[in-house]
Amino acid sequence: RNPVANTASIHEDGDIRITLLSPRLVRIEQAEDGAFEDRATQAVVNRYGDAPKVVVSAENGATTITTEFLNITYDKDLSTLEIRSTDGKFEPYAFGQAQSAGNLLGTMRTLDQQDHTLPLNCTILETDWGNTCDEADCQCEWAVFSKTDGWAVYDDSDSYALDDETDWWAGESSSDKDVYFFDHGKDYKGALRDLAFLTGKGALAPRYALGIWWTRWFDLNQADASDAVDAFEDAGLPLDVFVLDMNWHTKDDWTGYTFDDRILPFPSDLLQGTLQKRGLATAVNLHDADGVAGFEAAYPEACAAAAAAG
């Protein structure tokens, strides 16, 4: 992991910086003060790799950067920047252009409070649905490939930068605009490889996590949980993961870490006996927003640990 790109990959021109991260992956930045962002961000942790072969030329004030797969041209301003595939098979991209219509779509942060199907097309979600999922926006994301136009973009301009030592948030990105251009045509695996190069490889989920999950948000006791599992077995339906939502713990708001003995007086009997002995993976829902309150069973130990850590 190294968020600082290979200097041989960088073309800097006034307040514009173009970094060729691979023959098909381009980072396009603008920083009016010339302070481009080299720190990792919430999404991007690596930019260092072998520099692709590049030819740079200038004519009548316009700059052209060519790789094996791309032609990038601009005339002193990002509003003029255009990227074309060298084989001419795909539509050109103009900087600031909306995501291509053939984008294969990504995902969104939450489906809370939704009782209907939401579109994964972020443009439709924002214009026709008001981009609302519960009380926050859906944080809809696009895929990094398209079935028609051959390109996709990821805009990292609004991500927070991360501290080099702690990986904690270290303020907004210093680049005013920070866009990653993926031009992989229908080489979808190649696009995913370049995405993993930027963001790190995703963890391989355990097999059970890809199965059937059950959870409900109410005061669930041990008998309720056993009845829910019985219902699946009686119907001949598979069940892999059982999650206790937030009512499992004591609380005066959303946060808590101590089992509520009014509804779950013997939590180990439920988790290890009722659920795990029946082959289910188990989890409990945490909202760690408010710290460790004085009513928590482990409050003295938490205070001691905080004091020891300084």
Side-chain angles (χ1 to χ4, degrees):
R1 164 179 166 172
N2 183 353
V4 181
N6 188 333
T7 55
S9 301
I10 297 172
H11 175 79
E12 191 170 324
D13 185 3
D15 65 350
I16 296 173
R17 183 168 75 168
I18 297 173
T19 307
L20 285 301
L21 296 167
S22 85
R24 289 179 165 177
L25 174 61
V26 184
R27 185 188 189 195
I28 306 164
E29 296 172 272
Q30 184 173 49
E32 293 185 0
D33 61 0
F36 296 101
E37 185 58 74
D38 284 324
R39 295 170 294 180
T41 69
Q42 291 168 284
V44 176
V45 298
N46 182 71
R47 302 185 188 97
Y48 188 89
D50 294 335
K53 294 181 180 179
V54 174
V55 176
V56 180
S57 61
E59 185 176 353
N60 298 325
T63 300
T64 300
I65 302 171
T66 303
T67 75
E68 179 183 358
F69 299 100
L70 301 173
N71 281 317
I72 306 166
T73 60
Y74 69 94
D75 189 354
K76 302 177 183 178
D77 189 273
L78 278 187
S79 64
T80 65
L81 186 141
E82 186 176 81
I83 302 179
R84 295 176 178 269
S85 59
T86 54
D87 59 14
K89 290 183 178 180
F90 300 106
E91 293 296 317
Y93 162 75
F95 187 81
Q97 182 177 342
Q99 203 75 242
S100 71
N103 190 281
L104 287 171
L105 310 181
T107 187
M108 60 185 65
R109 182 186 65 87
T110 180
L111 296 176
D112 278 0
Q113 304 297 318
Q114 301 305 312
D115 59 359
H116 50 263
T117 301
L118 287 175
L120 286 176
N121 184 308
C122 303
T123 301
I124 294 175
L125 186 68
E126 292 172 3
T127 57
D128 295 353
W129 293 76
N131 195 29
T132 178
C133 289
D134 195 11
E135 296 177 358
D137 71 47
C138 303
Q139 296 180 6
C140 183
E141 297 292 349
W142 298 93
V144 294
F145 32 63
S146 167
K147 64 182 178 182
T148 54
D149 293 347
W151 56 263
V153 293
Y154 169 67
D155 190 343
D156 202 38
S157 305
D158 294 332
S159 287
Y160 273 73
L162 304 181
D163 183 271
D164 292 335
E165 295 184 1
T166 66
D167 264 355
W168 196 244
W169 294 8
E172 296 179 355
S173 170
S174 60
S175 292
D176 301 306
K177 296 178 181 178
D178 192 356
V179 172
Y180 292 84
F181 178 81
F182 292 76
D183 186 64
H184 293 77
K186 294 187 177 179
D187 181 12
Y188 302 144
K189 289 184 178 180
L192 291 176
R193 281 193 295 270
D194 273 352
L195 179 64
F197 164 81
L198 282 180
T199 64
K201 294 181 179 179
L204 182 64
R207 185 169 182 171
Y208 66 78
L210 304 177
I212 307 300
W213 292 50
W214 189 98
T215 189
R216 289 290 302 278
W217 181 21
F218 61 78
D219 292 332
L220 190 78
N221 60 34
Q222 185 158 338
D224 296 326
S226 182
D227 289 346
V229 177
D230 288 342
F232 272 79
E233 291 184 353
D234 292 344
L237 297 173
L239 184 61
D240 301 281
V241 183
F242 196 98
V243 181
L244 297 177
D245 209 331
M246 59 172 284
N247 286 19
W248 67 270
H249 61 73
T250 55
K251 67 186 76 64
D252 61 3
D253 199 357
W254 289 81
T255 300
Y257 302 94
T258 306
F259 276 97
D260 188 340
D261 59 14
R262 296 170 299 174
I263 57 174
L264 294 172
F266 307 108
S268 61
D269 287 349
L270 171 61
L271 295 173
Q272 296 175 321
T274 301
L275 300 177
Q276 291 179 6
K277 282 187 177 179
R278 298 174 79 165
L280 297 174
T282 57
V284 296
N285 193 351
L286 286 177
H287 296 83
D288 53 344
D290 297 328
V292 181
F295 58 76
E296 301 290 355
Y299 180 72
E301 291 88 343
C303 292

